Amino acid sequence: MIQTRSTRDTSWSWMTNFGDRDHPVIGRGVVDDAVGSPRVFGRATFRTYLDDLVAHALTAVDYFLLDDDDDTAWRILVWDVPATGYDQRSTVPPAGDSTRLQYALALAIEGGEPHHMSTWPGAEVRKNLHNRAAAQAGKAPRVTQAAPLT
């Protein structure tokens, strides 16, 4: 699950869907058969999420690159569902069911602490978004000092 928090807020907000009906770009959901540790999976998922924003939600990218005066920080929370035991006490929606996008919210509420959490300051996310947008447009990025999301 991906969350954001501006410098004006004291709590983290759930990431909403920035895409459209045909290309939803939402920062929560259940992924089956995740490869690697929760840390590796979380960071790879966040990189993929930023790539999806650039590919399908340029309005959101423009906001975070140009109009984000509150320096929004981002974080990802990852749960290992079998390790939480949540799937033993609740029905897990089948793969492909859009309800699975809400499943991470249930884990956050009922499943206890995440198995991994990574946080990135707004400036770092903006640099990475800028570089991804420039790469997709076929241009060399103007910002070359972006810290890798590893």
Side-chain angles (χ1 to χ4, degrees):
M1 170 186 312
I2 297 172
Q3 298 178 317
T4 59
R5 181 175 69 186
S6 74
T7 54
R8 294 182 296 156
D9 296 324
T10 58
S11 61
W12 291 90
S13 298
W14 310 120
M15 182 55 70
T16 58
N17 182 4
F18 287 119
D20 58 29
R21 192 181 71 134
D22 295 328
H23 300 286
V25 183
I26 193 159
R28 61 181 181 260
V30 174
V31 175
D32 294 313
D33 302 322
V35 176
S37 69
R39 178 183 182 276
V40 168
F41 170 75
R43 290 176 180 255
T45 299
F46 190 64
R47 287 190 299 268
T48 299
Y49 180 80
L50 294 180
D51 288 338
D52 286 348
L53 277 181
V54 170
H56 302 292
L58 286 178
T59 302
V61 171
D62 287 345
Y63 170 78
F64 288 111
L65 287 177
L66 306 172
D67 299 324
D68 184 15
D69 296 330
D70 295 318
D71 194 31
T72 301
W74 298 56
R75 78 176 179 184
I76 187 166
L77 304 125
V78 178
W79 288 267
D80 179 340
V81 175
T84 65
Y86 187 78
D87 58 337
Q88 300 299 313
R89 55 184 195 274
S90 182
T91 303
V92 179
D97 186 329
S98 62
T99 307
R100 290 168 73 85
L101 295 175
Q102 304 303 321
Y103 192 65
L105 296 175
L107 285 171
I109 295 166
E110 300 179 27
E113 292 296 313
H115 292 89
H116 175 72
M117 181 173 23
S118 295
T119 305
W120 297 276
E124 187 174 324
V125 174
R126 279 191 303 279
K127 288 176 187 175
N128 277 281
L129 273 174
H130 181 274
N131 288 346
R132 283 171 160 71
Q136 182 155 334
K139 300 182 276 183
R142 289 188 309 250
V143 180
T144 58
Q145 297 302 314
L149 298 173
T150 58

